[in-house]
Amino acid sequence: DTGVSQNPRHKITKRGQNVTFRCDPISEHNRLYWYRQTLGQGPEFLTYFQNEAQLEKSRLLSDRFSAERPKGSFSTLEIQRTEQGDSAMYLCASSSGTGSINQPQHFGDGTRLSIL
Amino acid sequence: ILNVEQSPQSLHVQEGDSTNFTCSFPSSNFYALHWYRWETAKSPEALFVMTLNGDEKKKGRISATLNTKEGYSYLYIKGSQPEDSATYLCAFTANNDMRFGAGTRLTVKP
């Protein structure tokens, strides 16, 4: 299967710990997106990359959050000093395209984070 | 960028019924409007991306229209089937931001 792959599927950790998630996009896609989704809400945009460049970062993303895509392929999202409010589903998506975000995105199955 | 609103929040229909729901978005600074279908325990699946006022897209029994001047899009499902049961999300993009609505949860009863 050459879809978007996210690891791990589930992560349970204690408050204050750091966590890192990985996303492997569809190989020919130059764009990669991170979203956070909580119950009853649509996905909230966090950040996105075009190749290795991080083009936009939501103001929702505090300085405890950082994302990288060092070689323009896979990406990691790290949350430092986790808080209970960070409990959510973290979704990754990829697409082709340049300019505005006007290509369909292909989503992974997400990483569900639970903070104890 | 202002919020994207979807209505209704949920919808229950009988198999064979046709149905539609609405996505409202800011009419200024428009770049694209996306529709996704999200089944439970699966990942969101792209249905349509529309960029031009008056666009109409169709995929099987599902179709969508776009009015960028008044800031709304309709999604139609003709002859609903139980496998259409899912949450339908719309998302509005303006330059480098993408904003999803909370979705319409559709349940189709056999």
Side-chain angles (χ1 to χ4, degrees), chain B residues 12 14 21 32 35 58 64 71 105:
Chain B
H12 294 254
Q14 288 295 135
F21 14 97
W35 280 102
K58 186 172 180 178
R105 173 72 194 161

Side-chain angles (χ1 to χ4, degrees), chain A residues 9 35 37 40-45 48 55-56 59 91 99-109, chain B residues 1 31-32 34 36 38 41-46 49 51 89 93 95-103:
Chain A
R9 292 292 306 275
Y35 298 91
Q37 193 258 339
Q41 302 296 318
E44 291 178 298
F45 172 82
Y48 88 102
L55 294 192
E56 188 72 16
R59 63 188 180 279
L91 291 164
S100 64
I101 303 172
N102 60 6
Q103 295 298 316
Q105 297 180 18
H106 298 256
F107 282 82
D109 289 334
Chain B
I1 186 171
Y31 279 81
H34 302 235
Y36 290 85
W38 197 355
K42 295 187 178 179
S43 52
E45 172 197 355
V49 180
T51 57
L89 295 165
T93 64
N95 201 14
N96 278 336
D97 196 355
M98 184 153 173
R99 186 67 59 91
F100 278 85

Side-chain angles (χ1 to χ4, degrees), chain B residues 58-105:
Chain B
K58 186 172 180 178
K59 189 176 186 177
R61 294 180 291 99
I62 305 177
S63 59
T65 61
L66 177 66
N67 182 324
T68 60
K69 292 183 179 178
E70 296 182 38
Y72 64 84
S73 174
Y74 294 137
L75 188 79
Y76 301 92
I77 303 178
K78 185 177 178 182
S80 303
Q81 299 297 308
E83 57 264 31
D84 295 329
S85 297
T87 296
Y88 290 83
L89 295 165
C90 73
F92 163 81
T93 64
N95 201 14
N96 278 336
D97 196 355
M98 184 153 173
R99 186 67 59 91
F100 278 85
T104 292
R105 173 72 194 161

Side-chain angles (χ1 to χ4, degrees), chain A residues 4-75:
Chain A
V4 177
S5 176
Q6 290 189 247
N7 288 288
R9 292 292 306 275
H10 304 273
K11 180 71 177 178
I12 301 172
T13 193
K14 292 182 179 178
R15 184 166 53 93
Q17 297 296 304
N18 299 342
V19 294
T20 301
F21 312 139
R22 177 178 169 126
C23 173
D24 287 89
I26 292 172
S27 57
E28 58 265 32
H29 285 172
N30 60 329
R31 285 187 163 176
L32 186 149
Y33 310 81
W34 284 102
Y35 298 91
R36 178 174 64 193
Q37 193 258 339
T38 53
L39 194 63
Q41 302 296 318
E44 291 178 298
F45 172 82
L46 295 178
T47 188
Y48 88 102
F49 293 85
Q50 182 162 304
N51 300 311
E52 65 275 9
Q54 188 171 13
L55 294 192
E56 188 72 16
K57 187 174 174 180
S58 168
R59 63 188 180 279
L60 297 171
L61 216 61
S62 76
D63 57 7
R64 296 184 298 107
F65 288 71
S66 62
E68 293 183 340
R69 195 184 184 197
K71 298 181 181 178
S73 56
F74 74 91
S75 176

